[in-house]
Amino acid sequence: SLLCHWVQHMDLPGPRWKKGKDGKDFASLAAANPMSAIVSELKASFISSKPVAILSGPGGSAVLGVGPEQAVILNRAAFGHAIENATAQKHWFQLSPEEVFYLCHALNCIRVDSLDNKQMSEIELWDYFRSGSESFPEMYKAYAHLRLKNWVVRSGLQYGADFVAYRHHPALVHSEFAVVVVPEGAEFGNRCGRLEVWSDLLCALRASGSVAKTLLVLTISSSSKCELSSPDCLEQLVVHERTITRWILQQCREQRCEPSRDEVNREELIIEKESVVFNHWGVILGFTVLSGLLVYRLKFRQ
């Protein structure tokens, strides 16, 4: 049987950290280098020079060229994918539309040029990405929502999702969530209604479970009537987080996890009490037997 429940603020399985050559996982390395600090370092490094990202075609992606030191910090912050090239003075990264707009709009640390080398404003860039993908407003809102919470966000296409979310750099940890973005509201038109059909929900749940990820549904709605034609709408869009997990009745009934410390202490206390009770009755029983033997011997002598 398969039952699903929508959960908010639930305890989910922890991250699956990758291991180094010494066999130890990278949890301590990630804790010593929080993603928030890395992104702040990237912003400080980029904001003075404002490296240029060049739009690379109708798909909406862009290519960003940076120096060697900036390439290191860009890779540490897990933005884009490095493109192999022969020169060591210039490093190139392929960026998704969401990454381009986040670096330009949220961090304000790069500038974007069109194919004819003209600098684009945020509104022009927004229109460009919307013309390439009608769903860009809700996809970017979901991407920015997770990034602002210091999750690393990558494309989830190979997992049947919109995004996948990592607790830290993908080189250190496996992704925890397969993210599906669900818009709600008249302004989103016919893009609404995702996962309302049971078969769609089941497919998404099965796909995420088969790759050891929790299905995270981000519902995008507006607090008031807004126009998606301008990036100003981002302030009015609201994100609701929900996780969907499988509830296997037999597993919950028969397969228990290791007991917590409180449970162990409680069991030890019960055993101790039972031992005390057992010793008490042992004394009484022994006294009764000895008394019976003494009475028997007195009767025998008489």
Side-chain angles (χ1 to χ4, degrees):
S1 62
L2 174 65
L3 297 175
C4 298
H5 55 288
W6 296 70
V7 184
Q8 289 179 304
H9 309 299
M10 69 172 290
D11 294 329
L12 296 170
R16 295 177 297 124
W17 296 100
K18 298 180 180 180
K19 297 185 180 296
K21 294 181 180 179
D22 56 359
K24 296 182 180 180
D25 62 43
F26 289 125
S28 57
L29 178 61
N33 299 274
M35 186 54 63
S36 57
I38 296 174
V39 173
S40 295
E41 184 182 345
L42 179 144
K43 182 177 180 179
S45 174
F46 279 33
I47 203 165
S48 57
S49 60
K50 283 284 185 79
V52 179
I54 303 173
L55 296 174
S56 57
S61 60
V63 176
L64 177 66
V66 294
E69 294 182 359
Q70 290 181 327
V72 172
I73 187 63
L74 192 64
N75 181 63
R76 289 178 60 213
F79 283 102
H81 296 275
I83 302 173
E84 294 185 4
N85 58 86
T87 174
Q89 297 302 318
K90 199 77 167 177
H91 294 256
W92 299 92
F93 286 79
Q94 187 82 31
L95 302 176
S96 69
E98 292 79 17
E99 289 174 324
V100 174
F101 202 77
Y102 188 82
L103 290 169
C104 178
H105 175 75
L107 298 185
N108 192 25
C109 64
I110 68 169
R111 82 170 209 253
V112 182
D113 285 357
S114 62
L115 292 172
D116 54 359
N117 296 323
K118 292 182 179 179
Q119 183 174 348
M120 301 187 71
S121 66
E122 287 187 2
I123 295 179
E124 290 173 335
L125 193 59
W126 179 265
D127 291 340
Y128 176 83
F129 287 143
R130 282 193 67 218
S131 65
S133 174
E134 191 180 17
S135 62
F136 177 75
E138 60 262 32
M139 292 300 170
Y140 174 75
K141 181 64 180 183
Y143 176 91
H145 175 80
L146 293 174
R147 262 294 184 177
L148 288 170
K149 290 191 171 186
N150 299 309
W151 289 89
V152 171
V153 187
R154 296 289 201 186
S155 170
L157 183 61
Q158 61 180 329
Y159 301 108
D162 296 313
F163 302 108
V164 286
Y166 298 79
R167 190 171 292 261
H168 207 277
H169 196 285
L172 305 183
V173 66
H174 295 280
S175 56
E176 290 181 53
F177 295 100
V179 183
V180 175
V181 181
V182 179
E184 286 186 354
E187 58 268 29
F188 296 105
N190 58 7
R191 302 197 299 280
C192 299
R194 296 185 69 187
L195 300 186
E196 288 185 356
V197 179
W198 170 247
S199 58
D200 294 341
L201 177 61
L202 183 60
C203 288
L205 187 60
R206 286 288 190 180
S208 60
S210 65
V211 289
K213 304 184 194 316
T214 299
L215 180 61
L216 173 61
V217 177
L218 297 184
T219 303
I220 314 295
S221 59
S222 61
S223 56
S224 60
K225 187 177 180 180
C226 66
E227 295 290 336
L228 301 180
S229 58
S230 168
D232 294 339
C233 71
L234 295 171
E235 299 295 328
Q236 298 174 335
L237 295 181
V238 181
V239 182
H240 299 279
E241 304 170 351
R242 294 182 177 91
T243 58
I244 309 179
T245 58
R246 293 183 64 204
W247 179 37
I248 305 175
L249 183 61
Q250 182 179 3
Q251 179 177 349
C252 295
R253 178 167 51 86
E254 296 183 355
Q255 297 181 9
R256 296 188 59 190
C257 300
E258 294 183 2
S260 64
R261 183 176 298 274
D262 290 339
E263 291 176 338
V264 171
N265 293 338
R266 192 181 305 114
E267 290 179 1
E268 290 178 350
L269 182 60
I270 292 172
I271 293 172
E272 183 179 348
K273 288 182 178 179
E274 290 177 348
S275 177
V276 171
V277 173
F278 179 78
N279 291 338
H280 174 72
W281 283 106
V283 171
I284 294 175
L285 180 61
F287 180 77
T288 303
V289 172
L290 289 174
S291 299
L293 289 174
L294 180 60
V295 171
Y296 176 80
R297 291 183 65 180
L298 288 174
K299 285 183 179 181
F300 182 77
R301 285 182 179 181
Q302 292 175 358

